Amino acid sequence: LEHLARVVGDKGVTFCPVVFNGARKCENFLQQELFALDFDDGIAYSEVKDMAERYCLPISFSYYTFSSTEDKPKFRVVLRHIVPVTDNLSAEVVLAMLKELFPMADKQCFDLARMFFGGKRLIEYNPQACFNLSELAYAFQQELNWQDTVNYKRNIERFACKNGIGILDKGILD
């Protein structure tokens, strides 16, 4: 991970966080351990870091993109799952939850086959930082409830249906 963080963040090497069996297509998905989010619209890195901490998503590494400037910082954060996710449905659910939790992230970064350009400077590297799907699901449901308590159950059902996952009693994702 340290080598990857350095070559991507400092040396500008492009990477794809998914391992494929053959061509870089969703149907060839093997596993994914890293999940990257791209922020291009001027949000401060400290805001994204605070949000990630609130959602129990410690940042493994982050870096400034080539087009980042002092006036308009652009950066990527990379999150590491505790173990490789070996089915594409689970990986897509992780991305769907991240998309909801970080609506200001570039919408194109939520595609399993997405490649990410490297950057011009590593912001931080945290070798022990990792998350797990159940903590992410809990944080996601908490945030959804906080945003709209009245319609929480309907919103969680819509998310579950859209992503092909079940719901337990009281609107808890299965």
Side-chain angles (χ1 to χ4, degrees):
L1 186 63
E2 181 178 8
H3 177 71
L4 180 68
R6 300 255 177 246
V7 298
V8 169
D10 288 333
K11 301 203 184 288
V13 173
T14 298
F15 79 106
C16 181
V18 174
V19 176
F20 296 97
N21 182 18
R24 189 172 46 92
K25 297 180 186 175
C26 292
E27 57 267 18
N28 295 332
F29 178 94
L30 281 181
Q31 67 179 19
Q32 182 172 7
E33 188 173 357
L34 301 176
F35 295 85
L37 300 173
D38 195 10
F39 297 93
D40 291 334
D41 288 329
I43 187 169
Y45 178 74
S46 59
E47 286 182 66
V48 171
K49 186 170 178 160
D50 288 346
M51 291 173 70
E53 288 174 2
R54 185 171 75 228
Y55 303 139
C56 299
L57 294 167
I59 297 170
S60 291
F61 69 93
S62 54
Y63 60 94
Y64 289 109
T65 64
F66 291 125
S67 59
S68 180
T69 64
E70 289 289 327
D71 296 335
K72 191 170 182 183
K74 297 179 180 187
F75 54 90
R76 291 197 182 91
V77 298
V78 179
L79 310 168
R80 182 171 57 107
H81 193 262
I82 195 162
V83 296
V85 176
T86 57
D87 68 282
N88 63 341
L89 175 60
S90 295
E92 288 178 359
V93 167
V94 168
L95 289 174
M97 287 182 193
L98 292 174
K99 187 176 186 178
E100 294 286 329
L101 292 173
F102 296 95
M104 71 294 295
D106 184 338
K107 302 301 179 231
Q108 295 180 1
C109 68
F110 299 103
D111 175 8
L112 284 179
R114 170 78 189 237
M115 292 188 71
F116 294 90
F117 291 120
K120 59 184 178 181
R121 193 178 87 216
L122 195 62
I123 300 171
E124 68 176 297
Y125 167 66
N126 301 304
Q128 304 305 317
C130 59
F131 74 97
N132 70 52
L133 181 52
S134 36
E135 287 177 349
L136 173 61
Y138 179 77
F140 169 73
Q141 291 170 109
Q142 292 279 92
E143 184 67 17
L144 219 56
N145 189 40
W146 180 80
Q147 288 176 4
D148 188 356
T149 304
V150 174
N151 298 305
Y152 168 76
K153 192 164 184 181
R154 183 184 70 200
N155 292 339
I156 204 74
E157 287 171 351
R158 184 180 303 138
F159 178 85
C161 181
K162 181 178 177 182
N163 291 285
I165 54 179
I167 296 182
L168 302 172
D169 292 338
K170 298 181 183 178
I172 297 172
L173 292 174
D174 184 10

